[in-house]
């Protein structure tokens, strides 16, 4: 088995579908002698911001000298991004060996584990073999029945911003979705909560009371935004003055405040971080395809925002940094998202749209998207036969002095970054 064989096995069409539940992953890990029971976790759930929070936490904890595992999904350019230790992606050889080891147990099961369950098992085994002090674990879908919830009570459960998404799997009300995501809260843990809508706050209060766990709310009143540029932003939070975060987007500051709250709780649980490590960790964060600057002439931003809440945050950031400006947009969306609501948010900011079909069976066709956009007004709308052609056309339309932004789906982010020479193996500063 080589790396290609390993990934082909993991993503086999026979078990690619998502099936929520903990029975298969529990049985698989039990056969593997439960590597998750030998690790300490920070478990992160939410609708938006959880990947950014995970990445910031892992970067700071690594800077503080803890051997830190990071498990995220999906990947942007390379499968290996999904599991990292101290900022380094799993190497191809180790991925191959661990996949082969997990395969022998998975193939012996009558009810074969799903793709995400296989990835989760490989990641947990990897972190155990690397003797991680802490593992920052991002939930895949929901929380309560997500494969990552097979872990014992984490040191800390972090709940980022919650909104309506994946309603077919999680429920069509905000309360139902909050309850599913709050399912990662277990007796023996502590909880950090980003500010939420009142209904979500109420749901989390109830879950924490039922599990008798402390709830720590992130205080956005301590947050002070300072200088902002395309290279990132400076902010203060309480006693920490002028912290540098090399991520663009106003929505990243609330994420950073949630991280700082989590670090305070972790310090009381035996994992302190000094200010030097905090500054170093935040200042070295890299998180691709999250309002990422790819070019300057024209300004070309890439954002993986793929639901209504994320696109609202994108629009707010664009309006904040470029008041009154009009943007050339490259957009591709999933058919199962609330894509009309997403596009209505950015339509007032548009000088033109180029529509593409992301490379996934779930994608909405560019033609359907373009037809709907044309019905909304007089903004020019065109389709492109591929993501690459879309990038080329967007650069031409925007010109050197224009503003360009690609958004709508992480499924097209890797190809867009590759066009600019990123994520191809030659860069050194893309991933945490």
């Amino acid at each position: 088995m080589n790396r290609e064989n390993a990934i082909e096995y993991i993503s086999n069409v026979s078990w690619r579908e998502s099936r929520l539940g903990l029975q298969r992953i529990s049985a698989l890990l039990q056969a593997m002698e439960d590597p998750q029971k030998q690790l300490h976790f920070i478990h992160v759930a939410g609708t938006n911001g959880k990947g950014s929070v995970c990445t910031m936490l892992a970067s700071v904890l690594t800077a503080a000298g803890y051997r830190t595992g990071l498990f995220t999904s999906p990947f942007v350019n390379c499968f290996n991004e999904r599991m990292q230790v101290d900022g380094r992606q799993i190497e191809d050889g180790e991925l191959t060996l661990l996949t082969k080891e997990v395969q022998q147990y998975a193939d012996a099961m009558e009810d074969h584990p799903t793709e995400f369950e296989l990835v989760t098992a490989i990641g947990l085994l990897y972190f155990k073999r690397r003797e991680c002090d802490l593992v920052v674990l991002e939930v895949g879908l929901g929380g309560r029945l997500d494969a990552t919830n097979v872990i014992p009570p984490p040191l800390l459960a972090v709940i980022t911003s919650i909104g309506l998404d994946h309603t077919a799997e999680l429920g069509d009300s905000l309360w139902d979705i909050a309850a599913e995501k709050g399912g990662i809260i277990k007796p023996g843990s502590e909880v950090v909560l980003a500010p939420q809508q009142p209904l979500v706050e109420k749901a989390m209060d109830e879950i924490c009371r039922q599990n008798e766990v402390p709830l720590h709310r992130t205080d956005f009143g301590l947050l002070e935004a300072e200088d902002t540029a395309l290279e990132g932003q400076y902010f203060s939070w309480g006693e920490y003055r002028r912290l540098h975060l090399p991520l663009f987007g106003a929505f990243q500051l609330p994420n950073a405040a949630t991280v700082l709250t989590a670090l305070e709780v972790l310090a009381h649980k035996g994992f302190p971080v000094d200010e030097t490590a905090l500054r170093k960790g935040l200042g070295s964060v890299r998180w691709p395809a999250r309002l990422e600057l790819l070019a300057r002439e024209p300004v070309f931003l890439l954002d993986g925002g793929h639901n209504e809440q994320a696109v609202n945050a994108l629009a707010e950031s664009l309006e904040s940094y470029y008041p009154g400006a009009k943007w050339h947009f490259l957009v591709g969306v999933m058919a199962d998202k609330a894509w009309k609501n997403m596009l209505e948010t950015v339509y007032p900011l548009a000088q033109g749209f180029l529509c593409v079909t992301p490379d996934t069976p779930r994608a909405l066709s560019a033609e359907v998207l373009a037809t709907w956009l044309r019905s909304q007004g007089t903004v020019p709308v065109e389709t492109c036969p591929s993501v690459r052609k879309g990038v080329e056309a967007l650069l031409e339309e925007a010109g050197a002095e224009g503003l360009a932004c690609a958004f709508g789906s992480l499924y097209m982010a890797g190809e867009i970054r590759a066009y600019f020479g990123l994520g191809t193996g030659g860069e050194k500063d893309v991933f945490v």
Side-chain angles (χ1 to χ4, degrees):
M1 178 182 282
N2 57 27
R3 178 186 181 278
E4 288 68 31
N5 299 144
I7 294 175
E8 183 179 357
Y9 169 74
I10 293 168
S11 59
N12 188 295
V13 68
S14 299
W15 45 78
R16 187 181 297 165
E17 66 183 271
S18 176
R19 292 187 291 153
L20 294 174
L22 300 180
Q23 299 88 349
R24 291 175 301 277
I25 185 66
S26 296
L28 176 59
L29 291 174
Q30 185 175 28
M32 296 164 51
E33 299 183 351
D34 287 318
Q36 78 280 10
K37 293 184 178 180
Q38 302 173 55
L39 295 164
H40 297 297
F41 294 95
I42 303 161
H43 205 185
V44 183
T47 303
N48 291 302
K50 60 182 185 292
S52 297
V53 166
C54 285
T55 304
M56 291 184 211
L57 276 170
S59 185
V60 172
L61 291 169
T62 296
Y66 301 109
R67 181 168 292 181
T68 306
L70 174 64
F71 183 87
T72 59
S73 62
F75 64 89
V76 174
N77 287 103
C78 174
F79 179 92
N80 304 51
E81 297 166 31
R82 301 182 72 164
M83 50 196 81
Q84 306 176 25
V85 172
D86 290 345
R88 294 182 178 275
Q89 301 170 22
I90 187 172
E91 295 183 357
D92 291 347
E94 193 161 11
L95 174 62
T96 300
L97 289 173
L98 293 176
T99 301
K100 189 174 182 179
E101 185 172 345
V102 171
Q103 179 183 9
Q104 64 178 319
Y105 299 110
D107 288 354
M109 293 172 59
E110 183 175 345
D111 187 6
H112 199 284
T114 66
E115 176 183 11
F116 186 70
E117 289 163 351
L118 292 171
V119 176
T120 301
I122 293 165
L124 293 172
L125 185 59
Y126 174 54
F127 299 136
K128 185 252 185 180
R129 294 279 170 82
R130 287 299 189 96
E131 299 181 339
C132 290
D133 300 312
L134 290 163
V135 175
V136 182
L137 192 70
E138 181 186 0
V139 167
L141 175 62
R144 183 176 65 91
L145 297 176
D146 184 75
T148 62
N149 207 29
V150 73
I151 64 170
L155 290 173
L156 186 60
V158 179
I159 309 293
T160 66
S161 179
I162 291 177
L164 291 173
D165 197 17
H166 297 293
T167 53
E169 296 88 356
L170 305 180
D172 57 7
S173 76
L174 202 54
W175 181 275
D176 289 340
I177 292 174
E180 287 297 318
K181 294 184 184 294
I184 68 169
I185 297 169
K186 303 180 177 76
S189 300
E190 296 194 36
V191 178
V192 166
L193 182 66
Q196 308 282 347
Q197 298 179 55
L199 189 63
V200 176
E201 292 266 1
K202 183 177 180 182
M204 293 302 161
D205 272 332
E206 185 172 313
I207 294 169
C208 288
R209 283 198 302 270
Q210 289 174 352
N211 287 278
E212 299 182 340
V213 301
L215 174 61
H216 307 269
R217 288 181 168 83
T218 301
D219 183 359
F220 281 9
L222 299 175
L223 185 62
E224 302 172 44
E226 297 176 9
D227 303 339
T228 298
L230 290 175
E231 294 80 5
Q233 47 201 321
Y234 286 89
F235 71 100
S236 295
W237 192 78
E239 65 183 25
Y240 298 110
R241 312 310 295 173
R242 201 161 173 76
L243 297 167
H244 178 229
L245 184 66
L247 300 177
F248 190 53
F251 55 86
Q252 292 293 5
L253 294 187
N255 291 333
T258 302
V259 167
L260 288 163
T261 305
L263 291 169
E264 286 186 342
V265 177
L266 284 172
H268 292 294
K269 297 181 78 66
F271 293 92
V273 171
D274 63 30
E275 186 170 343
T276 299
L278 172 63
R279 292 184 179 276
K280 179 181 178 182
L282 283 180
S284 60
V285 168
R286 298 293 183 271
W287 194 222
R290 276 69 174 184
L291 208 54
E292 180 183 16
L293 177 67
L294 300 183
R296 292 182 176 277
E297 296 181 354
V299 169
F300 192 117
L301 298 174
L302 169 63
D303 189 69
H306 55 277
N307 57 47
E308 187 176 355
Q309 189 178 18
V311 175
N312 284 340
L314 167 64
E316 289 173 6
S317 292
L318 297 182
E319 289 184 283
S320 172
Y321 297 137
Y322 293 88
K326 295 294 185 179
W327 291 77
H328 297 269
F329 287 114
L330 175 66
V331 58
V333 297
M334 300 295 101
D336 57 359
K337 298 292 183 179
W339 55 270
K340 292 181 181 179
N341 294 343
M342 292 163 54
L343 271 296
E344 285 173 349
T345 299
V346 298
Y347 197 94
L349 308 180
Q351 188 164 331
F353 287 99
L354 291 168
C355 302
V356 294
T357 307
D359 185 17
T360 171
R362 292 171 50 211
L364 183 75
S365 77
E367 290 74 18
V368 171
L369 179 56
T371 298
W372 184 84
L373 281 168
R374 291 186 185 113
S375 73
Q376 301 305 297
T378 59
V379 172
V381 180
E382 301 293 338
T383 61
C384 293
S386 68
V387 171
R388 183 176 183 84
K389 291 292 185 182
V391 174
E392 292 172 349
L394 191 66
L395 291 170
E396 182 177 351
E397 287 196 2
E401 302 301 319
L403 298 171
C405 178
F407 76 98
S409 172
L410 278 171
Y411 283 99
M412 61 185 192
E415 191 171 352
I416 293 172
R417 298 185 82 248
Y419 180 92
F420 291 93
L422 300 174
T424 57
E427 59 184 323
K428 297 181 179 179
D429 63 343
V430 174
F431 304 107
V432 175

